[in-house]
């Protein structure tokens, strides 16, 4: 959910000690700013990241396992699921380092293997491939890797 100033949605996290007055103040400010507030309880990932990040992680697993190309994965989600952009493009926009950090929070917070970050995500981040913030997203990196492999076949 970034960049925050241009997003329509604001997840308002209600902690154990959040007063009604504090919640109402934040809600009113959000509405005054023309954004839509949604209340979420304080759990790892809240609502947005708890739903979104496992989908992105699974898309990266799909790439990692060779089920489809980056373009195929994104096209299926855009045209088949009516998403405005594919999960790999979205991961590039968010930042692969940010995606990894959120998946690690979910994995630690729940202790459930369904939140285990994909090894390819970790590999990209460790290699410094962070997404659009570097002008090279995972889709472009994957294209380069594939073209290098195919060029090496003929040498």
């Amino acid at each position: 959910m970034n960049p925050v100033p241009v997003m329509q949605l604001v997840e308002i996290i209600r902690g154990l000690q959040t007063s009604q007055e504090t919640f109402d103040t934040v809600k009113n400010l959000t509405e005054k700013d023309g954004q839509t507030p949604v209340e979420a309880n304080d759990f790892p990932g809240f609502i947005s990241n708890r739903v979104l990040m496992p989908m992105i992680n699974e898309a990266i697993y799909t790439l990692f396992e060779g089920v489809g190309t980056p373009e195929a994965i994104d096209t299926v989600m855009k045209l088949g699921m009516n998403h405005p952009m594919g999960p790999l493009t979205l991961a590039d926009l968010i930042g692969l380092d940010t995606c990894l950090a959120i998946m690690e929070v979910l994995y630690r917070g729940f202790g459930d293997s369904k939140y285990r970050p994909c090894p390819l995500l970790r590999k990209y981040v460790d290699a410094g491939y962070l997404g659009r913030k570097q002008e090279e997203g995972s889709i472009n990196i994957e294209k380069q890797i594939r073209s290098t492999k195919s060029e090496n076949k003929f040498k």
Side-chain angles (χ1 to χ4, degrees):
M1 294 192 349
N2 63 40
V4 172
V6 300
M7 298 305 292
Q8 291 180 320
L9 177 71
V10 174
E11 247 181 313
I12 302 174
I13 311 310
R14 189 185 283 272
L16 287 176
Q17 296 182 340
T18 303
S19 70
Q20 188 62 45
E21 179 183 2
T22 299
F23 177 83
D24 291 340
T25 300
V26 172
K27 183 179 179 204
N28 291 334
L29 285 170
T30 301
E31 290 169 338
K32 184 178 178 185
D33 197 36
Q35 295 173 302
T36 303
V38 174
E39 180 180 352
N41 288 318
D42 191 10
F43 281 90
F46 314 121
I47 296 170
S48 58
N49 285 331
R50 189 166 173 187
V51 173
L52 176 65
M53 285 302 160
M55 181 191 70
I56 288 174
N57 195 52
E58 192 61 29
I60 297 169
Y61 263 113
T62 304
L63 178 63
F64 178 61
E65 294 168 355
V67 177
T69 65
E71 297 85 356
I73 295 163
D74 275 359
T75 299
V76 165
M77 295 307 289
K78 287 189 301 188
L79 301 180
M81 309 307 157
N82 204 27
H83 289 201
M85 71 177 71
L88 298 176
T89 299
L90 183 55
D92 285 340
L93 180 63
I94 294 168
L96 301 184
D97 53 336
T98 301
C99 292
L100 178 60
I102 294 168
M103 287 305 300
E104 288 173 336
V105 165
L106 291 170
Y107 187 52
R108 277 193 312 272
F110 291 108
D112 190 328
S113 63
K114 73 179 179 181
Y115 298 113
R116 184 175 63 91
C118 178
L120 182 61
L121 176 59
R122 190 175 305 284
K123 185 176 184 177
Y124 278 178
V125 171
D126 287 348
Y129 301 145
L130 306 180
R132 283 195 195 168
K133 57 180 90 174
Q134 293 182 304
E135 298 180 22
E136 282 295 329
S138 62
I139 292 174
N140 289 329
I141 292 163
E142 188 63 25
K143 284 180 188 173
Q144 290 172 4
I145 290 168
R146 284 197 323 263
S147 69
T148 302
K149 284 181 182 175
S150 64
E151 287 171 12
N152 290 338
K153 285 181 186 177
F154 300 107
K155 289 184 177 182

